[in-house]
Amino acid sequence: QVQLVESGGGLVQAGGSLRLSCVVSGRTFSSYAMGWFRQAPGKERELVAATDWSGSNTHYAVSVKGRFTILRDNAKNTVFLPMNSLKPEDAAVYYCAASRLFHTIVLQTAAEYWGQGTQVTVSS
């Protein structure tokens, strides 16, 4: 019954920016830790960023640190991933995910609820 819907993906040139959004319904958004994962063809799913319920504790993959930011607006049941300085290697399907516990996302790289994914393509 918990639904996560991503949006904001698309085609962008290397060096450009995109902002992904994920709207959560079916439960109280503020009770969940949130994460963004991505998966490129032929590669394992990778944790990109995560935030706890308050937004005060965050985690980033080394490959995106300083370029991507995970933000949440609990009043709007939405989590964002603004992405700057995009590189061709950032191209993937990006998935929004939710978990009751922050460490489930960060330490186990898992989640209880998943969105359908949104495609990010970066041209060079």
Side-chain angles (χ1 to χ4, degrees):
Q1 291 184 318
V2 175
Q3 292 184 296
L4 291 75
V5 180
E6 304 98 329
S7 63
L11 174 64
V12 64
Q13 292 185 341
S17 300
L18 286 173
R19 186 176 73 165
L20 306 184
S21 300
C22 174
V23 179
V24 182
S25 62
R27 290 289 188 273
T28 302
F29 174 72
S30 61
S31 67
Y32 291 100
M34 301 295 299
W36 287 96
F37 294 78
R38 67 186 181 188
Q39 187 167 29
K43 295 185 178 180
E44 299 286 342
R45 187 164 59 200
E46 173 190 20
L47 175 62
V48 176
T51 180
D52 71 353
W53 67 270
S54 69
S56 62
N57 294 309
T58 57
H59 167 86
Y60 296 94
V62 172
S63 61
V64 308
K65 190 174 296 184
R67 299 188 298 119
F68 296 6
T69 307
I70 187 165
L71 304 168
R72 67 187 301 159
D73 186 340
N74 288 348
K76 296 183 177 180
N77 302 137
T78 304
V79 62
F80 302 96
L81 188 72
M83 305 181 292
N84 299 317
S85 302
L86 282 161
K87 305 174 181 179
E89 50 263 45
D90 294 319
V93 177
Y94 283 70
Y95 297 91
C96 179
S99 179
R100 185 175 60 86
L101 298 175
F102 186 50
H103 81 259
T104 300
I105 297 176
V106 175
L107 300 182
Q108 300 179 17
T109 60
E112 298 163 27
Y113 305 99
W114 296 86
Q116 83 289 347
T118 185
Q119 177 73 54
V120 172
T121 303
V122 184
S123 62
S124 60

